[in-house]
Amino acid sequence: MIYNLFIFSKDNKCLYYYEWNRPLKADSLDYEKENLSGLLIAICDFVSKISPIKPSFFKSYSTSSYKLHYYESLSGFRMAILTDPTTGDLTDSLEYIYGELFTNYVMKNPLYEIGQEIKSQKFIYELDLYISKLPFFK
Amino acid sequence: MSRSQKKIDKINFEIFTLTYGEIVTTLLKDYEDVEEVNNQLDKMGYSMGIRMVDEFLAFTGLNKCSDFRDTADAIANKAFPLFLGFPAGIQNFDEKKKEFSLVLDQNPLIEFVELPPKYKGLFYCNILCGIIRGSLEMLQIDVEAKYKKCVLRGDERSEIFISLKQDPKKGDK
């Protein structure tokens, strides 16, 4: 099951957040976004530092109740998807969201100001369509 | 769906070159100053570059470049064929100063173009410099990109000079 998704910019701003399933609501969403962004930076940094063989990228972590999948583009956009812990590898899906949906509907839109929150209806619609079609969505 | 399935749409050659030509002529009419047009083209290229780099990354799936030489290779042999349909050559690569020249042998943009004498100062394809600068900036590589020679101005070949402004260890692409 897919819970929710975050997209962060290079300077740690949350550009987009969406939740599909989330029984437990966040106390403060802003606080959560900020902390998650910080946590991910710290994890990525640490994970690649202790790697005995270079290079190393952080992909996911799981807890007893959820799994966080992470993808970072070289241009500094970062995405995280939360799913239930039994979900397999989501790298391909995250690459698709970045390469097809994000680049096409957000970055290539000349009227989108880089670093601003994503409000593109087309992007939101296509993303929702893609996510809800994934086999492990429900 | 992985990266390998991604396709780049092609555009008709004439439409592409004529559109670009029209942009340059409009700028020349609006600003009436060749230097200013060069500047504007560079600025336009910059805003295109910071957007195009994501397309480039998604399409090629490249990992971080280990050094500036790799970056030069990626620009000349991956980015140029992807967006303009021809590779560029690398010349005068200087390891110490971190600079090199991109040599453009073919360039679809200048196919039909001849500069009238009053616009001799114009770098017709200055937009390319902006694009290179913009895309590399998104990857934390600060460079300076400048047209050095241009076929349209009577030089024997077109050359874009690129030099790095900061420590390349931080850079990636």
Side-chain angles (χ1 to χ4, degrees), chain B residues 89-93 99-103 148 159-162:
Chain B
I90 302 172
Q91 268 190 358
N92 307 331
F93 188 87
E99 55 188 36
F100 63 93
S101 294
L102 278 177
V103 181
K148 233 181 172 181
E159 218 178 284
I160 299 178
F161 176 74
I162 296 176

Side-chain angles (χ1 to χ4, degrees), chain B residues 13-70:
Chain B
F13 170 69
E14 273 81 15
I15 292 197
F16 177 57
T17 50
L18 289 177
T19 311
Y20 184 70
E22 187 54 37
I23 292 174
V24 179
T25 15
T26 309
L27 284 175
L28 280 170
K29 266 183 216 144
D30 285 357
Y31 288 96
E32 291 169 348
D33 174 36
V34 175
E35 264 320 299
E36 190 51 33
V37 174
N38 284 341
N39 273 340
Q40 289 300 324
L41 282 173
D42 185 75
K43 265 193 207 162
M44 284 164 62
Y46 176 78
S47 7
M48 283 167 72
I50 52 181
R51 286 159 195 276
M52 280 160 71
V53 69
D54 284 295
E55 171 82 1
F56 174 72
L57 293 173
F59 187 81
T60 56
L62 279 183
N63 283 327
K64 288 193 177 190
C65 285
S66 47
D67 55 21
F68 198 49
R69 176 95 222 182
D70 273 2

